[in-house]
Amino acid sequence: MTDSDPPAIRTRFAPSPSGFLHLGSARTALFNWAYARRHGGKLVIRIEDTDVERSTLESEKAVLEGLEWLGIDWDEGPLRQSERSERHLAAVERLLSTGHAYRCRCTRIELEERRTQTIAAGRKWTYDGLCRDLELGDDCGPHTVRLRLPEHGELGWDDAVYGPSGQDASEIGDRIIRRSDGLPLYHLAVVVDDLEMGITHVIRGADHHPNTPLQIALYRALDADPPTFAHVPLIVGSGGKKLSKRRDSVSIQDFERDGILPDALRNWLIRIGWSCGDQEIFSADEICASFDLAAVNRSSAQADAEKLAWLNQHYIKELPNAEFVAALMPFLSQVTSQAVTPSDGLSQLVELQRERGKTLVEIARLSRWFVNDTIDYEEKAVTKHLKPAIGPPLRDLHDALAKLSNWSEESVKSCFDAVLAQHEDLKMGKLAQPVRVALTGGTVSPGIFETLAVLGQARSIARVEAALDLIPPA
RNA sequence: GCUCCCAUCGUCUAGCGGUCUAGGACGGGGCCCUCUCAAGGCUCAAACACGGGUUCGAUUCCCGUUGGGAGCGCCA
């Protein structure tokens, strides 16, 4: 590599491990991943776990598993920010020695007092600089360290999404970068980490946009070039309000539990705040081939569950049979107390149910009649369709079905044809629904011949027989 | 309160001064198909927040209003 080569692209995803992978974080991760993949770069994972109160190993695991489930793979990490505090502190010392930072003795209570006064006077609070020129040494007692900002001057950058952005240094004020207990603060840690990890593109939520001027100042004080920043619009809930844990599904695990396919969720997320012509369906490869920061929107977007459902059904319809059966298995187990095992019948059933449900949960629910030997009859269905008049034709159908020596959609259909011919006033609909109730307990199922075929002769006949007994006497 | 950001159908979006009687998708309505439910096909309704400029011409550029959002910690 020569000096003129552009540096290889390195993006990062830096979640704080708060118990689960949040929807918004997941999309940020996806954008970082897509951008790195698109440009042959690397994605680095860094766990921002300096908040010991909230950070646990389990929650870190949950976040990582969420990424894997979504199909997001990374090249380096996970690194832990908590293990890098020496590097952060070294940077503070450097800043101190170059005069870009100074020690501050102001206490929390003093600060709080001055802040409330300023705000009461209707002014924005920035540090008033009391310790700024005191040139306090390390022996000055309990103290924090503050970054020394220029009095004035634009702290600007060209955001890859928002375009030219920035704020005047006077709006920021001298901010604390090392706490009085000696621990580094977030903004300092982030800048040092991104710098030392060689991150070229910081793609993160737009909630960080207002924090960026401070970080620009930090890069300058550290005598380093800032990376490219790209702030992506926030995902909001219905009504444009903040996503709430109560109202909305906010954790990736929620979607998995609700029977959403990872391909569908990934497709849904990538299209929130980003588009590529009229294309709606994006495979992982297509995302990697076409994702572009310049096409990212600037306004926050609502998460639309209906669109996700549609995408999910689309991917359900495309899933290879074996994968579909495997994906459905745990959901089937939830709707029956019987053991569910893969079988030819199950493989066939799944083909019939593909287009009848939008989630795995829904498809499992629609398939209860197949995996359960005991039928839950819907009372309304029974009283409506199992009436005395249907007794004789149903009996005839039963007998015809019982005589069949080869069991198939075609042979079963011939039995229906025969019964219909025998009973002149009987229409297909009048016969099919009672049979459907007999087989499934309800009024909803795939085509009646297909349902019979997949259920098999023995089970079908037994169920029709049982239904015959449910018909009240005339 | 202060600073910053955002603003096209209900929702996600296309549009980068004339191509806009504003396109696509989800959702909604209707029709067709039909043994139920779906799926599928066809079809309809639905938006440039408002007010000023700039311009021969604004959805597109500028300013303001309104509405939303974010940030203002010895949290991350």
Side-chain angles (χ1 to χ4, degrees):
Chain A
M1 191 200 257
T2 67
D3 287 348
S4 60
D5 283 336
I9 286 187
R10 290 168 66 81
T11 64
R12 47 71 153 185
F13 175 57
S16 49
S18 56
F20 58 90
L21 181 57
H22 181 96
L23 197 61
S25 301
R27 190 188 54 151
T28 302
L30 188 60
F31 280 17
N32 275 284
W33 173 80
Y35 192 76
R37 293 289 168 265
R38 167 79 193 276
H39 294 96
K42 302 242 187 272
L43 172 62
V44 185
I45 305 287
R46 183 178 68 225
I47 308 288
E48 312 223 309
D49 59 346
T50 46
D51 184 353
V52 277
E53 303 271 304
R54 287 189 304 197
S55 304
T56 66
L57 236 46
E58 291 104 277
S59 41
E60 179 183 319
K61 205 176 143 225
V63 169
L64 261 21
E65 282 174 355
L67 291 177
E68 284 169 2
W69 182 78
L70 263 180
I72 296 174
D73 59 334
W74 55 92
D75 305 290
E76 290 176 29
L79 276 77
R80 292 196 192 79
Q81 194 159 56
S82 61
E83 290 166 2
R84 296 181 42 83
S85 45
E86 277 166 39
R87 304 292 310 161
H88 306 148
L89 263 12
V92 174
E93 290 303 330
R94 232 178 316 143
L95 257 11
L96 238 18
S97 67
T98 55
H100 283 109
Y102 60 90
R103 296 180 180 81
C104 171
R105 280 194 303 213
C106 298
T107 66
R108 284 176 212 258
I109 341 157
E110 290 165 354
L111 253 13
E112 188 50 41
E113 202 169 297
R114 279 182 266 157
R115 181 179 316 151
T116 35
Q117 276 173 17
T118 311
I119 288 172
R123 289 216 1 94
K124 179 180 180 161
W125 162 261
T126 54
Y127 179 60
D128 47 17
L130 240 56
C131 299
R132 188 179 168 96
D133 298 314
L134 262 33
E135 293 181 22
L136 265 15
D138 198 33
D139 54 354
C140 66
H143 64 271
T144 60
V145 174
R146 284 182 187 273
L147 181 71
R148 187 193 306 273
L149 254 58
E151 298 271 353
H152 289 287
E154 178 78 356
L155 266 14
W157 77 101
D158 190 15
D159 198 279
V161 172
Y162 284 87
S165 306
Q167 248 181 311
D168 195 87
S170 60
E171 296 283 349
I172 316 288
D174 294 349
R175 301 280 292 271
I176 294 171
I177 54 175
R178 191 180 75 191
R179 314 198 308 199
S180 54
D181 63 5
L183 290 175
L185 252 79
Y186 169 75
H187 290 294
L188 186 272
V190 169
V191 166
V192 169
D193 286 345
D194 285 339
L195 210 46
E196 297 189 355
M197 290 161 62
I199 302 304
T200 59
H201 296 255
V202 171
I203 303 169
R204 49 157 46 161
D207 48 339
H208 287 287
H209 191 264
N211 293 149
T212 309
L214 170 63
Q215 297 185 194
I216 296 283
L218 241 9
Y219 280 99
R220 287 188 190 165
L222 256 9
D223 197 26
D225 290 329
T228 297
F229 288 100
H231 290 93
V232 305
L234 267 18
I235 297 178
V236 296
S238 47
K241 300 295 174 196
K242 193 173 171 179
L243 275 179
S244 99
K245 228 172 163 173
R246 289 188 66 101
R247 287 198 329 264
D248 314 288
S249 289
V250 293
S251 133
I252 293 316
Q253 279 87 350
D254 288 346
F255 292 95
E256 184 177 4
R257 186 204 56 215
D258 292 344
I260 300 296
L261 259 20
D263 285 348
L265 191 65
R266 184 179 52 230
N267 197 150
W268 185 56
L269 285 175
I270 197 75
R271 277 284 290 103
I272 299 177
W274 176 77
S275 64
C276 184
D278 285 342
Q279 189 172 348
E280 295 287 349
I281 305 294
F282 290 87
S283 67
D285 286 346
E286 285 171 322
I287 289 172
C288 295
S290 51
F291 182 75
D292 181 12
L293 282 176
V296 173
N297 261 254
R298 281 171 290 275
S299 46
S300 53
Q302 296 184 34
D304 180 16
E306 293 293 340
K307 189 115 176 200
L308 207 214
W310 173 75
L311 281 165
N312 202 48
Q313 186 170 45
H314 168 83
Y315 283 102
I316 283 175
K317 285 195 276 187
E318 296 220 317
L319 218 47
N321 185 277
E323 282 179 44
F324 189 14
V325 171
L328 193 61
M329 211 60 85
F331 293 93
L332 287 173
S333 296
Q334 282 171 21
V335 297
T336 177
S337 50
Q338 296 174 228
V340 183
T341 49
S343 65
D344 289 350
L346 190 55
S347 296
Q348 289 162 28
L349 172 79
V350 139
E351 291 306 315
L352 300 175
Q353 301 284 225
R354 272 182 198 282
E355 34 196 49
R356 280 168 234 272
K358 292 180 189 297
T359 67
L360 297 176
V361 168
E362 196 181 339
I363 289 178
R365 187 171 48 73
L366 291 171
S367 305
R368 265 190 321 228
W369 54 270
F370 183 84
V371 293
N372 260 327
D373 282 330
T374 53
I375 301 184
D376 304 319
Y377 292 101
E378 283 172 33
E379 205 180 311
K380 264 167 63 185
V382 170
T383 53
K384 179 168 180 196
H385 296 290
L386 296 182
K387 288 180 176 163
I390 201 65
L394 199 54
R395 182 90 250 168
D396 291 346
L397 182 71
H398 170 272
D399 296 345
L401 290 173
K403 283 197 205 106
L404 246 30
S405 57
N406 92 305
W407 188 260
S408 69
E409 273 179 50
E410 292 73 33
S411 62
V412 151
K413 182 174 184 303
S414 66
C415 296
F416 273 76
D417 291 341
V419 171
L420 255 21
Q422 275 173 257
H423 302 263
E424 273 196 14
D425 292 341
L426 198 59
K427 290 279 197 307
M428 180 59 189
K430 288 289 181 208
L431 181 58
Q433 278 306 74
V435 176
R436 182 167 276 117
V437 175
L439 301 180
T440 70
T443 55
V444 172
S445 87
I448 199 66
F449 309 136
E450 294 160 310
T451 303
L452 281 158
V454 75
L455 199 55
Q457 190 167 21
R459 294 175 89 193
S460 297
I461 292 169
R463 289 184 188 194
V464 174
E465 181 72 61
L468 250 9
D469 291 341
L470 289 176
I471 296 177

